[in-house]
């Protein structure tokens, strides 16, 4: 009997399945002005064995564009987590915050209905936008609280206002800044609460 037991191969340790992370963003996540492999999404994908990133970001994208695309991207990627980094282009155009909130809320709802957790990356406008800029950034936190998502209140906060972290347009981070953004998102993903059991 002992010989028979010894002949049975031991089962390999169970490895945690990679979680698929769909990133729906604009030029900040589409590696604008850089090679794709230099962007924070590609760096996060290379650095973490826990997550496999699918980058569906498009330079110039607005929240309305993301709303139009999300169902197709969800069907294509079948993600466990959706990272939404949208709204900067809405804000720079001064679009109504109610419209931004409705579009983000729609995307969050569609992702959650598909069984995915959501991480919302908040953005900040230049201070010359005044009260609109303050309400713009605050809206991300409020939406996340109301709809039960993870939230990074200000995605570019690790870069501060240091000019060296930005390209010549003073809007898009340099290649040297991308690892800081990748680490920030990975920490936020690790901090997400576990998925709810259905």
């Amino acid at each position: 009997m002992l010989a028979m037991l010894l002949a049975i191969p031991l089962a390999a340790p169970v490895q945690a399945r990679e979680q698929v992370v769909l990133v729906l963003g604009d030029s900040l996540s589409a590696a604008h002005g850089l090679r794709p492999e230099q962007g924070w999404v590609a760096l996060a994908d290379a650095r973490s064995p826990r997550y496999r990133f699918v980058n569906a970001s498009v330079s110039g994208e607005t929240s309305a564009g993301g709303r139009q695309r999300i169902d197709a991207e969800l069907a294509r990627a079948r993600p466990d987590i959706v990272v939404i980094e949208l709204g900067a282009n809405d804000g720079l155009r001064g679009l109504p915050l109610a419209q931004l909130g409705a579009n983000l809320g729609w995307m969050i709802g569609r992702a959650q209905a598909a069984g995915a957790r959501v991480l919302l990356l908040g953005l900040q406008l230049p201070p010359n936008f005044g009260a609109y800029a303050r309400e713009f950034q605050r809206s991300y936190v409020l939406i996340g609280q109301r709809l039960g998502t993870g939230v990074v209140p200000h995605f570019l906060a690790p870069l501060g206002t240091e000019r060296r972290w930005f390209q010549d347009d003073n809007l898009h981070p340099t290649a040297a800044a991308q690892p800081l953004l990748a680490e920030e998102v990975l920490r936020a993903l690790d901090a997400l609460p576990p998925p709810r059991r259905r």
Side-chain angles (χ1 to χ4, degrees):
M1 184 68 177
L2 179 60
M4 291 177 61
L5 290 174
L6 291 174
I8 299 174
L10 295 175
V14 177
Q15 297 290 329
R17 185 178 72 88
E18 279 185 334
Q19 297 180 71
V20 177
V21 180
L22 172 65
V23 180
L24 200 64
D26 52 32
S27 56
L28 295 176
S29 298
H32 174 82
L34 308 173
R35 298 192 305 275
E37 64 271 20
Q38 292 178 303
W40 74 261
V41 180
L43 294 176
D45 184 67
R47 291 180 179 205
S48 176
R50 294 186 58 188
Y51 307 110
R52 178 169 63 82
F53 286 77
V54 176
N55 196 356
S57 302
V58 176
S59 289
E61 187 72 289
T62 62
S63 65
R67 176 172 178 159
Q68 290 178 344
R69 291 195 300 120
I70 190 167
D71 284 339
E73 298 297 349
L74 289 170
R76 180 172 66 94
R78 302 178 63 84
D80 301 288
I81 302 171
V82 176
V83 175
I84 300 176
E85 179 274 301
L86 287 170
N89 291 309
D90 299 61
L92 291 172
R93 299 173 190 181
L95 298 180
L97 294 180
Q99 179 180 325
L100 171 64
N103 290 335
L104 292 176
W106 172 271
M107 287 184 278
I108 291 167
R110 298 302 291 171
Q112 291 175 335
R117 292 176 289 162
V118 177
L119 176 64
L120 187 60
L121 301 184
L123 301 161
Q124 189 176 50
L125 295 176
N128 59 296
F129 279 75
Y132 179 85
R134 292 190 294 273
E135 291 303 312
F136 176 85
Q137 186 177 6
R138 182 169 171 264
S139 66
Y140 287 93
V141 176
L142 295 177
I143 291 167
Q145 290 174 343
R146 187 171 74 245
L147 298 181
T149 76
V151 182
V152 174
H154 179 22
F155 177 44
L156 300 183
L159 312 184
T161 57
E162 292 189 50
R163 187 67 189 82
R164 66 190 176 107
W165 294 128
F166 292 90
Q167 299 178 42
D168 290 342
D169 61 10
N170 206 30
L171 292 173
H172 296 94
T174 62
Q178 300 296 319
L180 300 177
L181 302 178
E183 289 301 323
E184 179 185 38
V185 173
L186 288 173
R187 284 194 299 269
L189 290 174
D190 288 343
L192 284 176
R196 296 177 182 176
R197 291 185 178 180
R198 293 189 168 186

